[in-house]
Amino acid sequence: MKRRLIATVLATLSMMQNAHADIISDLPGFDDVGGGMEFPQPPQEQGADTTTTTTSSTATSTVQRQYTGDVQVREVSRKKDGEIRKITLAEALTLQNMEIKARNARVKIHEVTLILANGQRSDVREYRNAAVLEINATASSGNLNLNQKVAAIEIRAESYGGISELSVKAVSDLGVPRMTAQGPAVAQPVTPTAPPAPGRTEESATVRVGDKVLFDNGSSYVGTVKEIFMSGKARVSFPGYSQDSILDLKDLARSVNCQATQCVGDRVLFDNGNQYVGMISMVFANGVRQVKFPGYSEPSFIKAQKLTKSAQCAGSVCVGERIIFSNGSDYYAGTVREAFVNGMVSIKFDGYNEISFLDHKKLMKGQACASDICVDTRVMFDNGSGNYLGRVTEIYADGTAKIKFEGYSEYSFIKTSRLVKVVSSVKGYSSGTRVLFNNGSGYYVGTVREVFADGTASIKFEGYSDLSFIKVDRLGRQADCHKNICTGNRVILNGQYSGTVRAVYSNGYALVKY
């Protein structure tokens, strides 16, 4: 039973190039600065982005300070689907990360929303329907990747025991977050407003002094606006260049936290014939995203419509589920690593190091049973030339079972309709039953090892090392007596041979010692 490698071969990511500059002083070509418009050779395996922040009470000018504040959110109730508790910051600050700890009882965090100083709201992805927190367990937001100041935090939580408490810690690089926890936030009725005009984004696209902006002259550069002139131009500083550049405002795209459904920090799939998974590090108002891919030192700039967000499920296939894939000749079992809103999923197949990407419609999910065969059922398989005993390890929605047969190192994939499960007894035959078998040329005495739902028994005959598989209707079951002949009786055969009955069988035979 062969296995074939399913691997995703990574290739060079294409980049976007489509802008114009009037003046850009001392700004060399992209090849001169290593701007990341060409990828190095692709990595061998996908990985997760991590960011490490150095903290120190005696930090120098090259080390970023971090300030920590905490607050207790008391009396989290058991209200179904949770209640909203609001935390207000005395001063709006940018936040690097958060931690929430459960106290007194287990807690389910349904969602956490950051209310920004400009009135916008930003969901914290790591807290969306997070796992239930055990007592004293902590859930981290990871790096929030926010360049906007946070004025308040809303937590929708539900106690899974008695009245619970939450300990909330926030970390900022601007100052100590001084927070006050309030009672449940009650939504106030609002007058419905007209939907936004087509193409309108969640944040203003107007460029202001201090904004991070994207400039593209065939290569992509991110800089900071230092000054804006009445002429419609702006002075922009680009990292790595000694002089500022004077550029048209219309050629600059403002950095925002979210646009449409994509936000900073979202995991996304990029497919240019090969698949790459990365994280959005910047969102720009012109529809371009800066994306960091694991294994590449430079970020990529890609149009939003070419990216697909990560999701918990694609169709009915969800992250963490066991699946099976058939390419028409072989089966491959694996685990879903990540799902995306376009229906694609990434899969780690058993026995392979590489991650594969497939449409969820080509996969079959694992399940507990198919017909009367379930996971962990002991079964027999007859392929017409021999019988094989094994145990079912997985079952999939199309009725295929993954089986480990005795004496074989590889797994087999067989439809459950071709399998027969072990049962406790058939027609009085069960494990341990002593039997006699007459094949027309000889008599064989043995012991039943197992019986199966189709009436077959596996038998170990005396003097033979291999098991035999025979229908119980062809066997005689040992009994105490049959037609007045009992074990231990003295008998005479043909009027001249006397002996002692050692065993009597239900098929009318007796084992006699002369």
Side-chain angles (χ1 to χ4, degrees), residues 27-61:
L27 194 60
F30 192 88
D31 292 338
D32 296 330
V33 299
M37 298 309 294
E38 294 183 0
F39 280 132
Q41 291 300 311
Q44 295 301 311
E45 187 168 1
Q46 303 293 339
D49 291 341
T50 59
T51 302
T52 301
T53 303
T54 303
T55 61
S56 171
S57 60
T58 59
T60 68
S61 61

Side-chain angles (χ1 to χ4, degrees), residues 375-395:
V375 173
D376 206 38
T377 298
R378 188 162 167 78
V379 294
M380 176 185 69
F381 171 60
D382 184 350
N383 68 353
S385 59
N387 299 85
Y388 301 86
L389 297 175
R391 190 172 297 277
V392 174
T393 60
E394 292 180 283
I395 293 178

